[in-house]
Amino acid sequence: MKHTVSILLLFISSLAWAQNPGAKTEKDFYEIKTLPIPQDIYLEIGGIATMPDGRLGVSTRRGEIWIIDNPYQKDSHQTYYRRFASGMHEILGLAYKDGAFYCSQRGELTKVTDTDRDGVADRYEPIYQFQLSGNYHEYTYGPVFDKNGDMWVTLNLAWVGFGEGKFSKWRGWLVKISPDGKLEPFAAGLRSPAGYSINQEGDIFYGENQGDWVGSGRVTHLAKGDFAGNPGGLKWAKEPNSPFKLTLEEIPDNGSPMFEAAKKVKNLKLPAVWFPHAIMGISTSDILQDTTGGKFSPFPGQYFVADQGQSKVMRMGLEKVNGVYQGFCINYREGFQSGILRERFGLDGSMFVGMTSRGWGSTGKDDFGLQRLVWNGITPFEINMIEARTDGFEISFTQAVDVNSVKKAASYALRSYIYKYHHQYGSPIVDVKDLAIKGIVVSADKKKVRIVLDQIRQYFIHEFKLTGVKNEAGELLLHETAYYTLNQIPSGDKVVLNATTNPIVEKVVIEKKVSQLEKTKTTTLISDNEAMALLKKHTCVACHAREEKLIGPSFTDISKRKYSDKQILALVYKPNPKNWPDFATEMAPMSHVPAKDVLKIASWINGLTQKKANDALINRD
């Protein structure tokens, strides 16, 4: 897969270079530094804890805690590993407080201490023991400490073809555990809550993965008594200490959007930000607010959300409207060596990134890894923030914009859509509408652009593609696409539309109409370059590679199945997981992709096997 992805990236990069030889990339601003790991250590990282003396604690899925000296590689690139603790079970969270480690094993929240100070743990103290059924999917994450010293833990649902929490108590819940071991159930409706954090205001956010009842990845603010959408753990809402009462029978399962269900289910909490599937990740993991005071990024106070499947870090900006969190997400840094599960800031403001991919798959093909993300202090031309307005949105930028470029209607492609809320795994995007720009206003400092739209839709995802926006130096945005989730429409003054606010609409050359007969004669055969462009456009390369197994099967393996083009189209629109039982991640329906594009891709896929055979004959001759 590495070779395939490298070739694809090279191809895309060459196109970008031809169009704009001065184009910057993520590497020009954010460096990924790899910490070497000894060959005999399987560092499948489940947790990271930054220690105040400059060392780093790392926990693994194999039940160990390692302490790493010189993780910042100041004096040399050499790092030193000491196994501090072992014999535990799948540690998927780690914290360090007052000289002790706290970790979530599969069935226990444990305090681990070195009482004789010989560098090796000698006391393993159970703080709370969780029920287990033995189902492989009953992961336990945390703890995260709050300012009062209480510990927060999230509990994964079991998987039996769907998320199920009834086998073990409080599965599918966020719980608070006091230092003396008392558990308080706080919020439910969680499916696979691998990442969560507490922000500077003391509010809790958790990241969710696409699955049953979850149309796409998302980040949700959880308050006490909230129900985040998956009913697998609702059995425990009957318990006397549950913060709310709700049953599975009360949950609508008709495929309407989640916001429609929320009108009937009082406790149902809508996401603060949706992360569109396969575009903004496929398996949302850790969340970390930038509290480094400008050391880590040029976006202090914003959030950095990791993705395990796509081995990348994304950025999330939040605002509160009518007391409700909402905001946008945008890419930040791709190219990590394995699937990211944990993020923690170091003492110098850099970010340690812990990774594992065994059994879960990721675009980064190493089985595990430990890397550090470092900002070089140079601010790229980026979207800084998107905020909702009563008649549209205001976008702020990190640099002054070229006014002519932002006034052109052709610089933008805007639309809105949403996902289905149902028991099925994932969802295609639905109710898609293109959005027309009625007015554009540029601030005096040229760093803010207010966009007036023909309509804004409450509860919908609003997609912004700013393909033509430039700064005063003529540079394009480092990342041109962002997604804003509009939970609340703010009040306020509307823009007075007049000649000065009208977008510039350039003349369009009208092409000759093609008759329906000519359309039917058009072949679907396309070149490798055309195929790669379509695969990138529709995010197919996020899960599939040409020759090697990735999140899903390779295109070559698909071609060996000898599906017809129309069969591939049907399976793209309505996947059948039974066809590929060896892959843990089910494919989401992609019915929003135009049929003509799917058929072109299908014809290319079906030609791969024959092309490979022809190449073999040529090489033999």
Side-chain angles (χ1 to χ4, degrees):
M1 194 286 298
K2 289 182 180 176
H3 300 299
T4 305
V5 172
S6 298
I7 291 168
L8 174 59
L9 291 176
L10 181 62
F11 166 69
I12 295 167
S13 299
S14 65
L15 285 180
W17 180 264
Q19 295 166 358
N20 186 0
K24 301 289 196 303
T25 68
E26 294 172 346
K27 294 179 182 179
D28 292 310
F29 306 96
Y30 314 114
E31 182 182 0
I32 296 175
K33 298 187 176 183
T34 301
L35 277 69
I37 301 171
Q39 291 185 355
D40 59 344
I41 298 177
Y42 292 87
L43 208 70
E44 298 176 322
I45 297 176
I48 296 178
T50 304
M51 302 173 69
D53 63 3
R55 295 179 297 165
L56 189 71
V58 171
S59 67
T60 75
R61 294 169 67 186
R62 295 175 181 246
E64 300 172 327
I65 298 175
W66 291 82
I67 294 179
I68 305 172
D69 285 288
N70 195 35
Y72 302 94
Q73 300 175 296
K74 289 184 178 179
D75 301 322
S76 71
H77 289 289
Q78 184 62 49
T79 52
Y80 304 91
Y81 291 73
R82 177 188 294 113
R83 187 165 64 181
F84 177 77
S86 61
M88 292 180 279
H89 186 191
E90 197 174 48
I91 308 172
L92 295 182
L94 188 68
Y96 186 82
K97 182 177 174 63
D98 299 330
F101 285 106
Y102 295 78
C103 63
S104 283
Q105 301 188 61
R106 179 169 281 253
E108 182 180 285
L109 176 59
T110 311
K111 180 180 180 181
V112 184
T113 316
D114 174 16
T115 61
D116 60 9
R117 299 184 181 181
D118 66 349
V120 179
D122 49 38
R123 184 175 183 183
Y124 298 76
E125 181 182 355
I127 297 175
Y128 191 90
Q129 293 182 324
F130 304 104
Q131 291 183 6
L132 288 176
S133 71
N135 185 281
Y136 81 100
H137 209 249
E138 288 184 340
Y139 307 117
T140 302
Y141 309 102
V144 171
F145 277 91
D146 64 20
K147 62 182 179 180
N148 299 319
D150 292 319
M151 291 162 281
W152 296 82
V153 174
T154 56
L155 301 164
N156 221 85
L157 292 175
W159 182 255
V160 291
F162 55 89
E164 183 57 86
K166 68 181 181 182
F167 307 126
S168 304
K169 197 169 185 179
W170 303 123
R171 288 285 155 187
W173 286 70
L174 166 69
V175 300
K176 181 171 69 172
I177 300 174
S178 62
D180 61 357
K182 294 180 181 177
L183 182 146
E184 177 188 344
F186 188 80
L190 287 59
R191 189 190 81 85
S192 188
Y196 60 102
S197 66
I198 302 173
N199 71 0
Q200 291 175 303
E201 289 73 39
D203 292 328
I204 300 175
F205 295 86
Y206 99 100
E208 186 60 272
N209 290 291
Q210 184 196 64
D212 54 319
W213 300 96
V214 185
S216 183
R218 60 200 189 200
V219 168
T220 304
H221 165 233
L222 292 178
K224 188 169 184 177
D226 280 343
F227 169 64
N230 192 298
L234 284 182
K235 174 182 178 179
W236 312 112
K238 299 176 183 177
E239 293 293 307
N241 58 340
S242 170
F244 67 93
K245 305 298 178 186
L246 189 64
T247 65
L248 173 62
E249 291 70 30
E250 297 176 72
I251 310 301
D253 186 14
N254 54 19
S256 295
M258 196 175 180
F259 66 81
E260 293 291 350
K263 295 175 183 178
K264 301 175 182 178
V265 181
K266 179 180 178 182
N267 301 85
L268 182 56
K269 188 67 168 284
L270 299 179
V273 177
W274 285 98
F275 282 67
H277 186 72
I279 304 168
M280 298 299 295
I282 59 172
S283 50
T284 311
S285 56
D286 226 355
I287 305 166
L288 203 56
Q289 186 180 24
D290 185 356
T291 57
T292 66
K295 293 180 181 179
F296 172 68
S297 79
F299 308 101
Q302 294 192 17
Y303 302 76
F304 292 85
V305 182
D307 190 78
Q308 194 278 331
Q310 289 191 344
S311 305
K312 68 179 180 180
V313 173
M314 301 164 285
R315 176 164 59 93
M316 179 175 74
L318 294 177
E319 62 172 334
K320 259 188 177 181
V321 178
N322 301 328
V324 177
Y325 277 108
Q326 60 189 40
F328 76 100
C329 59
I330 189 169
N331 277 321
Y332 188 73
R333 185 61 162 97
E334 297 181 294
F336 290 88
Q337 69 188 108
S338 188
I340 303 175
L341 199 60
R342 290 288 162 255
E343 307 168 311
R344 289 293 182 270
F345 288 125
L347 301 180
D348 63 350
S350 63
M351 178 192 283
F352 287 102
V353 177
M355 293 161 277
T356 176
S357 66
R358 172 173 55 90
W360 294 331
S362 65
T363 54
K365 291 312 295 176
D366 289 352
D367 290 337
F368 51 82
L370 178 60
Q371 295 179 306
R372 194 159 62 95
L373 184 58
V374 181
W375 175 43
N376 65 10
I378 302 172
T379 300
F381 179 43
E382 283 273 51
I383 293 171
N384 179 49
M385 186 66 186
I386 302 177
E387 296 176 291
R389 296 291 182 260
T390 189
D391 53 1
F393 295 88
E394 185 170 84
I395 305 173
S396 63
F397 298 90
T398 58
Q399 299 171 13
V401 298
D402 169 62
V403 175
N404 186 58
S405 72
V406 298
K407 291 286 286 184
K408 291 181 180 179
S411 292
Y412 308 85
L414 310 177
R415 61 176 183 165
S416 60
Y417 54 79
I418 197 61
Y419 293 97
K420 294 181 179 181
Y421 177 60
H422 55 192
H423 74 277
Q424 294 176 339
Y425 199 107
S427 166
I429 62 174
V430 295
D431 200 359
V432 183
K433 287 189 178 180
D434 292 328
L435 304 176
I437 298 176
K438 295 173 61 178
I440 298 174
V441 179
V442 183
S443 66
D445 65 0
K446 303 179 187 178
K447 286 190 174 183
K448 292 184 179 180
V449 177
R450 184 162 173 178
I451 300 173
V452 181
L453 300 178
D454 61 339
Q455 63 172 321
I456 52 176
R457 297 201 285 172
Q458 188 175 10
Y459 307 121
F460 279 72
I461 302 162
H462 289 68
E463 178 185 87
F464 295 79
K465 289 191 175 181
L466 311 185
T467 54
V469 170
K470 298 178 181 179
N471 64 9
E472 290 185 316
E475 297 172 328
L476 296 170
L477 288 159
L478 182 62
H479 297 106
E480 65 183 25
T481 306
Y483 301 86
Y484 187 101
T485 301
L486 186 68
N487 288 323
Q488 296 287 312
I489 300 175
S491 58
D493 296 332
K494 295 185 177 182
V495 172
V496 178
L497 299 176
N498 52 44
T500 64
T501 65
N502 289 339
I504 300 171
V505 180
E506 297 175 327
K507 292 182 179 180
V508 178
V509 177
I510 301 175
E511 297 180 357
K512 176 187 174 182
K513 291 184 178 180
V514 180
S515 70
Q516 189 61 41
L517 180 61
E518 288 176 308
K519 287 181 180 179
T520 58
K521 290 181 179 179
T522 302
T523 178
T524 57
L525 293 176
I526 57 175
S527 68
D528 286 354
N529 287 351
E530 291 173 309
M532 287 300 175
L534 283 175
L535 293 168
K536 171 95 175 149
K537 176 182 178 181
H538 298 302
T539 69
C540 307
V541 293
C543 298
H544 304 275
R546 178 165 177 160
E547 297 290 345
E548 298 184 47
K549 174 181 176 181
L550 201 56
I551 308 301
S554 70
F555 296 121
T556 300
D557 284 342
I558 295 171
S559 71
K560 293 176 183 177
R561 295 290 181 94
K562 297 184 179 180
Y563 298 122
S564 68
D565 291 359
K566 290 185 177 180
Q567 284 177 315
I568 290 177
L569 173 64
L571 289 168
V572 168
Y573 283 3
K574 189 176 181 180
N576 184 357
K578 294 179 180 179
N579 289 347
W580 301 93
D582 295 335
F583 292 85
T585 303
E586 296 182 9
M587 179 176 169
M590 302 288 284
S591 56
H592 59 282
V593 180
K596 62 180 179 61
D597 286 357
V598 178
L599 289 171
K600 287 179 180 179
I601 292 169
S603 69
W604 174 80
I605 289 173
N606 283 330
L608 289 177
T609 304
Q610 185 59 47
K611 185 176 186 301
K612 195 169 185 178
N614 292 342
D615 290 343
L617 284 173
I618 293 171
N619 292 333
R620 188 181 65 185
D621 294 341

